[in-house]
Amino acid sequence: MADGAVTSLKSKVSEAEWKARVDLAALYRLVALHGWDDMIFTHISARVPGPEHHFLINPYGWYFDEITASCLVKVDLDGNIVQETDSFINPAGFTIHSAVHAACEEAHYVIHLHTVNGIGVAAQKDGLLPISQNACLLQNQLAYHGYEGLALNHDERERLIADMGDKTLMLLRNHGTLAVGKTAAEAWVGIFFLERACAQQVAALSAGRDGVLMAPDAAQAVTKEQGKGIGFVSALAWPGALRQLDRKLPGYAA
């Protein structure tokens, strides 16, 4: 499939919904640009502004570098499609996202990935270790959820939300990474820091754990507090991310 394969919806939806569509399409393209996509699998979702509790998610079968604002599919909290479209969605993909959107009022954007490094760390007994600065910055924001198989059982949603608590990042054991944000920018910077920390851990442990330095306890405590400023960083990083897309992978705002 290619850009322009669907009719533009810009004139058919509200200005607020169109912005959410453009931001969500940008997230898909950014994930592809960084090589974090998993063919047609994994998902990123966004809440449509308004009282209906509708959400946007990718049409199943599209690659992330093909996603545009108009091709995104609007669904309700149960994953029922609420717009006219020839596309369909992956029910398993929306199970995790619906849980987070329903439970967290400010979780407007949810990113879930299956990267090699993310799964590599999620499968390690000790999880994310204080090896890197990025990992230390995330100490106060990271939760864990045990693997239960393909996310088809809606009962898992309650357990996932209980494990997540008030955190904005999660390692899904044996499965992947997850980030939520009030804005696309917050979700993007969160997943960027988490994925980078996972890659750094895999690199550091590639020759074994012996001899690998953990950050000093005092430095961990300081960095943990400093990590609360990631929200500010996201506002600075997002415009640059969009400029990078416009140069390297344009067409998402169609």
Side-chain angles (χ1 to χ4, degrees), residues 11-50:
S11 63
K12 300 179 181 180
V13 299
S14 68
E15 184 176 343
E17 178 176 332
W18 183 250
K19 184 182 185 308
R21 284 178 172 272
V22 171
D23 283 349
L24 182 56
L27 286 174
Y28 276 101
R29 297 282 185 114
L30 284 167
V31 167
L33 190 63
H34 284 262
W36 294 340
D37 47 342
D38 183 20
M39 202 167 68
I40 63 172
F41 309 107
T42 79
H43 309 276
I44 311 172
S45 60
R47 179 173 177 176
V48 177

Side-chain angles (χ1 to χ4, degrees), residues 95-246:
T95 299
I96 291 173
H97 293 255
S98 64
V100 179
H101 283 301
C104 309
E105 185 64 28
E106 295 190 345
H108 293 176
Y109 292 83
V110 179
I111 303 174
H112 170 44
L113 304 178
H114 293 165
T115 65
V116 173
N117 292 319
I119 295 173
V121 173
Q124 293 176 15
K125 182 178 179 181
D126 293 328
L128 190 65
L129 297 168
I131 289 174
S132 66
Q133 178 169 275
N134 284 334
C136 291
L137 285 168
L138 303 182
Q139 292 174 86
N140 204 38
Q141 304 171 52
L142 185 62
Y144 294 84
H145 175 64
Y147 186 56
E148 299 188 23
L150 292 177
L152 294 170
N153 183 0
H154 283 194
D155 290 343
E156 184 181 356
R157 293 188 293 191
E158 294 181 5
R159 293 186 289 276
L160 186 147
I161 292 304
D163 288 339
M164 190 162 198
D166 61 353
K167 310 299 185 185
T168 56
L169 301 172
M170 176 174 273
L171 281 176
L172 300 164
R173 292 296 196 177
N174 311 101
H175 188 174
T177 55
L178 184 139
V180 305
K182 188 187 302 183
T183 64
E186 288 182 3
W188 172 245
V189 169
I191 203 70
F192 182 89
F193 272 72
L194 180 55
E195 287 290 341
R196 185 59 61 90
C198 288
Q200 290 160 347
Q201 179 163 321
V202 170
L205 298 182
S206 61
R209 188 160 174 174
D210 289 345
V212 174
L213 290 173
M214 300 295 142
D217 291 344
Q220 288 186 48
V222 170
T223 314
K224 181 178 180 180
E225 290 302 309
Q226 293 170 334
K228 296 177 181 179
I230 286 182
F232 169 73
V233 173
S234 67
L236 297 176
W238 183 246
L242 297 183
R243 291 194 299 271
Q244 185 180 47
L245 271 188
D246 290 337

Side-chain angles (χ1 to χ4, degrees), residues 51-114:
E52 297 87 359
H53 286 82
H54 288 164
F55 307 88
L56 300 168
I57 199 165
N58 54 315
Y60 201 24
W62 286 56
Y63 278 59
F64 280 22
D65 62 359
E66 299 174 322
I67 298 295
T68 66
S70 296
C71 83
L72 293 162
V73 181
K74 184 159 56 174
V75 299
D76 63 19
L77 200 53
D78 294 317
N80 300 307
I81 295 175
V82 294
Q83 71 176 81
E84 185 177 342
T85 178
D86 294 329
S87 299
F88 63 100
I89 70 165
N90 178 4
F94 194 62
T95 299
I96 291 173
H97 293 255
S98 64
V100 179
H101 283 301
C104 309
E105 185 64 28
E106 295 190 345
H108 293 176
Y109 292 83
V110 179
I111 303 174
H112 170 44
L113 304 178
H114 293 165

